[in-house]
Amino acid sequence: MSDNPTPPRPAPEPTPVAAQDQSTRRDKQTRQDRQPSRDRQTPPDRQTQDRQPPRDRQTPDRQPSRDRQPPPDRQPRPDRQPPPDKNAAQGKNAARDRSATKDKGAAQDKGARQDRSARQDRSAPRDRGAEPPARPPRRRRPRFSVERGWFPPLGSKGKVALVVSVLTGLLTHGYHLFRYPLYLTDEGIYMQRAWSVLRETSLSPYTYDYDHAPLGWITLAGWVFPLPKQFETFGNAINTGRFLMLLVHLVSIYLLFEITRRLSGSVLAATIAAFLFNVSPIAVYFQRQVLLDNLMILWLLLSLFMLLRREVTIRSVFGGGMALGIALITKENAIFFVPSFMYLLYRRVKGSASHRFTSTLWPFAAFAPIGAYVTYALLKNELLPSGFDFDLNNPPADHVSLLYTLWWQLNRSQGTLFSHTGLLQTSWLVRDKYLLIAGVCAMLISLWIGMHDRKRNLGFLISGTLAFGYAFYLVRGSVVLDFYVTPLIPMLAINVGMVIDRMLTGSFANRFMRGAHSMTRVALPSFVALLLLASPASGYLVHTNTEGHTQIADQYQSKINLTGMQHAQIAWVRKHVPPNSRIIMDDDLWGDLHDVRPFYPYAHSHWNASSDPDVRDKLFRKKWQNVDYIIMSNKMRKSMDTNNSDGRENWILQALRNSTRVWSQTQGNIKLEIYRVQ
């Protein structure tokens, strides 16, 4: 037995399939070693070394190297150690050389990467083979689309702007509310009919002739009913109605703010619109008064708000249609806003799976309140005139008619609005020419922007058509009263806010101009607002009186107490006029004389005394001798002359000519009088 250990057995020659797999893996590894990395440059010595195959590598058809370890089942016994092999030692040395070379190349690659990173930080040009560093992701602007309901969130700044807008409206419309302006005829008419709903469960204390839809004063009656003193809760009937108008205005501010923001996608546009809606003198004057137009605005804004929700659901469509129907039976001229609402609904539901259902549900919901109103007239046999006769020269004598009244209103005419004696020159522009002129210009710009690209500028198209539709109603040539401009004010404010925001939004070439532009978006509107508030020519906060002195505007001047004159007039009547006297007056005093003791049941307005058969033919018998007192409100004589085109008030004017003035009070251009008929 030999002392030399048994030499290791050579590994068995691999089968053709195994040899091919090993060859494939070695070739793949060789190609990876030869291929330089994309993100780093290979040193020249490294490239040369990679091109040379290692010495101990065998081709597939050659015998594997002796230094290769056999598989686990072929390992020699532990007690038998193989003799030192020269080839194995050379292979180990070559492996160590390769490992050292790899470590050296890795260190060189690491140093090269650090050098390249430092050069990139110094804004040095990068090598062609180096991949540019990844850029941080850019913040995408929030998507905005009125058609799809993609509205930007309100945010903290928007919430602050909304709260400030509501508080501003509370201050401008709440301060001096019960003293300015003077109680007007229409305020007395609506509170008179609300009194009739509560006290007599009828739509009017006189013959209801369908001159207006009744939901407006039904709403007033619903507001008065739960109050502790009802009509006298805030002093008298009109004051109680004015407090409701303040609440209506605050809710309208919120709706207007959100509608403008969703139509424009901008908080700035909404803030500007709310500012004009709050502080405009023409807005303060008419929105304080108990008018059906203010209630109509609330329902219109609510309907528009429902159509501008993020998702068009059945609830929002039904609620929007119902709100529009309520607006229509509050004041009929809301019909001029309907085309814009219908187009907005069409664009919102276009292409949706439920577009047929929603486009049918909305008009059904809008027609439901109108159908109830028509059904009321039909059940009372007052829908059609007798004999289906619509002759305007011969009104029906046996009963009133809804359709006849509508036909009469459509055929009324008073001439052009743009004459030197028209309301535009004598009333509207005098109170606020800035909002009206700027609003009309903004309306035309909105229409042009919206028509130029109806797909992307749907908000401008809707705001422009809303203002244009109602402006057409005012200039069409029919009878227009001064407060008919009230629904146009919020529509013009929306257009002004959106156009100003568009003008202040633009793209500039350099960073400095973009920074200046962002500051201008807030600075410029703020400067214009301060100019309007501080300039006496605007009349927003201060104005120049008839003596040429600058003073606080009438709506904020505590010394001016216009309604106090009417309180003094009522006090004189209660002290000197017997309750059973037959009185001709205006409707602004009706609630005070019929709801507060002592009652004056025979006190009637000159409108009803000349038109209602029960009052005209039974109480006064169209004789001036049956009149005891005439209480003259401001400009009542002008109203009597206007209403006397067919001679219906001749006997009242004759009583005035045969009377003696017993009380009078004047403040500025306002004059109140009381006459005793001889």
Side-chain angles (χ1 to χ4, degrees):
M1 185 173 179
S2 174
D3 295 336
N4 296 331
T6 304
R9 297 178 183 180
E13 186 174 357
T15 59
V17 176
Q20 186 178 0
D21 294 340
Q22 292 178 4
S23 175
T24 303
R25 288 194 295 271
R26 285 195 297 269
D27 292 343
K28 183 176 181 181
Q29 182 67 27
T30 303
R31 288 194 300 269
Q32 292 178 355
D33 294 338
R34 290 179 180 179
Q35 185 177 359
S37 178
R38 294 181 180 179
D39 59 346
R40 55 188 175 87
Q41 297 293 335
T42 305
D45 56 344
R46 179 72 175 178
Q47 296 176 0
T48 306
Q49 183 180 359
D50 290 342
R51 293 195 187 99
Q52 297 178 0
R55 296 179 181 180
D56 59 338
R57 293 185 181 178
Q58 301 292 335
T59 55
D61 55 348
R62 293 183 180 180
Q63 186 74 13
S65 175
R66 288 175 179 252
D67 63 339
R68 189 182 299 269
Q69 296 295 329
D73 57 342
R74 299 290 184 177
Q75 291 291 338
R77 294 170 58 183
D79 55 346
R80 297 181 179 180
Q81 297 296 332
D85 190 6
K86 183 177 181 180
N87 295 333
Q90 292 177 355
K92 292 181 179 179
N93 295 333
R96 284 194 298 269
D97 296 338
R98 286 195 300 271
S99 177
T101 305
K102 290 181 180 179
D103 296 339
K104 182 178 180 181
Q108 293 176 354
D109 294 343
K110 183 177 180 180
R113 286 196 299 269
Q114 292 177 354
D115 295 339
R116 285 195 299 269
S117 177
R119 288 194 299 267
Q120 290 174 1
D121 293 341
R122 292 192 299 266
S123 301
R126 292 186 295 267
D127 297 333
R128 294 184 178 180
E131 185 176 355
R135 296 182 179 179
R138 298 179 61 183
R139 296 182 59 184
R140 297 180 58 184
R141 296 184 62 185
R143 295 178 297 179
F144 169 69
S145 174
V146 178
E147 185 174 2
R148 299 186 180 183
W150 294 344
F151 307 122
L154 183 59
S156 58
K157 294 182 180 179
K159 293 178 181 178
V160 171
L162 177 58
V163 171
V164 171
S165 299
V166 174
L167 293 179
T168 302
L170 177 63
L171 178 63
T172 57
H173 287 65
Y175 182 75
H176 219 228
L177 176 65
F178 300 144
R179 296 186 176 187
Y180 180 90
L182 197 72
Y183 298 142
L184 300 183
T185 300
D186 289 83
E187 293 185 276
I189 292 176
Y190 303 139
M191 295 309 301
Q192 165 198 128
R193 296 185 178 184
W195 179 91
S196 180
V197 170
L198 281 182
R199 300 287 188 264
E200 301 177 345
T201 63
S202 61
L203 296 180
S204 175
Y206 305 100
T207 303
Y208 176 56
D209 56 0
Y210 298 93
D211 55 343
H212 287 303
L215 191 60
W217 54 84
I218 293 177
T219 304
L220 292 171
W223 154 252
V224 170
F225 177 73
L227 296 179
K229 295 183 180 180
Q230 294 193 344
F231 289 97
E232 284 72 43
T233 300
F234 295 93
N236 57 30
I238 296 182
N239 282 351
T240 304
R242 284 190 176 185
F243 191 84
L244 176 62
M245 295 300 105
L246 176 62
L247 301 180
V248 166
H249 179 72
L250 296 180
V251 178
S252 300
I253 293 172
Y254 169 76
L255 296 175
L256 181 75
F257 188 95
E258 280 296 293
I259 288 170
T260 309
R261 188 180 67 86
R262 297 184 184 189
L263 289 177
S264 63
S266 170
V267 174
L268 177 64
T271 306
I272 295 174
F275 171 81
L276 295 175
F277 189 60
N278 284 328
V279 304
S280 172
I282 192 172
V284 174
Y285 182 81
F286 289 116
Q287 290 168 5
R288 287 183 174 188
Q289 300 175 16
V290 186
L291 299 175
L292 301 181
D293 305 76
N294 293 323
L295 295 173
M296 180 193 72
I297 289 173
L298 173 65
W299 293 113
L300 283 174
L301 294 177
L302 179 60
S303 177
L304 188 58
F305 176 79
M306 297 296 287
L307 293 181
L308 289 174
R309 294 177 63 89
R310 293 184 181 273
E311 296 182 3
V312 182
T313 61
I314 295 177
R315 182 181 301 177
S316 63
V317 171
F318 184 80
M322 283 291 296
L324 180 62
I326 293 174
L328 287 169
I329 63 173
T330 299
K331 193 72 178 292
E332 298 84 354
N333 50 14
I335 195 172
F336 290 91
F337 296 101
V338 172
S340 299
F341 281 66
M342 294 180 64
Y343 182 73
L344 177 60
L345 176 67
Y346 165 74
R347 292 288 298 272
R348 288 301 310 272
V349 304
K350 180 182 178 181
S352 63
S354 60
H355 71 280
R356 292 186 177 179
F357 177 74
T358 52
S359 59
T360 305
L361 177 64
W362 186 82
F364 171 79
F367 187 76
I370 303 174
Y373 181 44
V374 174
T375 303
Y376 170 82
L378 182 63
L379 293 176
K380 294 193 65 176
N381 194 27
E382 296 175 348
L383 180 62
L384 298 172
S386 302
F388 205 71
D389 185 11
F390 287 89
D391 186 8
L392 297 177
N393 296 323
N394 298 305
D398 52 350
H399 65 81
V400 295
S401 169
L402 170 61
L403 296 182
Y404 181 87
T405 303
L406 292 177
W407 179 251
W408 170 72
Q409 289 181 346
L410 290 174
N411 287 272
R412 291 192 302 172
S413 178
Q414 76 170 18
T416 178
L417 190 68
F418 300 98
S419 63
H420 65 280
T421 59
L423 292 174
L424 184 63
Q425 298 288 339
T426 59
S427 178
W428 298 345
L429 290 177
V430 173
R431 290 190 170 92
D432 191 357
K433 57 181 178 292
Y434 296 98
L435 175 61
L436 295 178
I437 296 175
V440 171
C441 296
M443 175 191 71
L444 298 177
I445 295 175
S446 297
L447 289 174
W448 183 84
I449 295 175
M451 295 299 295
H452 183 70
D453 191 350
R454 287 176 289 180
K455 183 177 182 180
R456 292 190 302 176
N457 296 318
L458 178 60
F460 281 92
L461 184 60
I462 295 301
S463 62
T465 53
L466 285 172
F468 179 79
Y470 196 79
F472 171 77
Y473 162 70
L474 295 178
V475 302
R476 77 193 192 281
S478 183
V479 174
V480 176
L481 301 180
D482 57 350
F483 56 84
Y484 280 14
V485 73
T486 307
L488 186 62
I489 297 172
M491 306 307 167
L492 295 181
I494 293 175
N495 282 271
V496 172
M498 294 180 63
V499 170
I500 291 179
D501 179 73
R502 173 61 67 91
M503 293 173 61
L504 296 176
T505 304
S507 58
F508 295 88
N510 54 69
R511 187 179 304 174
F512 174 76
M513 290 301 295
R514 285 198 299 268
H517 173 68
S518 62
M519 293 186 294
T520 304
R521 280 173 54 83
V522 178
L524 185 58
S526 301
F527 175 75
V528 174
L530 291 176
L531 187 63
L532 290 174
L533 292 175
S535 175
S538 65
Y540 274 51
L541 186 59
V542 295
H543 72 104
T544 305
N545 58 15
T546 56
E547 300 178 355
H549 300 294
T550 301
Q551 62 183 16
I552 300 296
D554 293 344
Q555 59 267 26
Y556 308 120
Q557 189 175 157
S558 58
K559 294 182 179 180
I560 293 182
N561 187 9
L562 300 183
T563 59
M565 302 171 61
Q566 293 165 309
H567 296 321
Q569 192 178 37
I570 289 293
W572 192 94
V573 170
R574 293 189 181 280
K575 185 176 181 180
H576 298 89
V577 178
N580 60 349
S581 300
R582 290 166 292 188
I583 302 173
I584 299 292
M585 61 177 187
D586 211 344
D587 286 293
D588 58 312
L589 306 179
W590 198 95
D592 288 326
L593 296 181
H594 285 260
D595 194 62
V596 180
R597 295 181 181 275
F599 303 137
Y600 288 79
Y602 306 122
H604 301 282
S605 69
H606 66 97
W607 306 94
N608 295 306
S610 61
S611 59
D612 190 277
D614 291 337
V615 179
R616 179 191 59 200
D617 300 332
K618 296 180 180 180
L619 179 62
F620 293 103
R621 299 180 182 179
K622 298 177 65 174
K623 294 183 178 180
W624 67 267
Q625 293 86 351
N626 294 329
V627 180
D628 297 324
Y629 288 88
I630 299 178
I631 304 175
M632 298 290 293
S633 64
N634 188 47
K635 298 182 180 180
M636 177 177 166
R637 179 60 183 268
K638 181 180 179 180
S639 300
M640 295 170 64
D641 294 334
T642 303
N643 194 43
N644 196 38
S645 58
D646 55 355
R648 65 175 63 186
E649 294 197 19
N650 284 334
W651 60 278
I652 300 178
L653 295 173
Q654 182 68 22
L656 185 60
R657 287 190 290 266
N658 291 274
S659 61
T660 303
R661 186 172 61 186
V662 294
W663 181 89
S664 176
Q665 188 171 347
T666 304
Q667 183 174 341
N669 58 351
I670 298 176
K671 186 176 183 180
L672 305 181
E673 299 171 308
I674 298 177
Y675 291 87
R676 180 188 294 115
V677 181
Q678 301 297 330

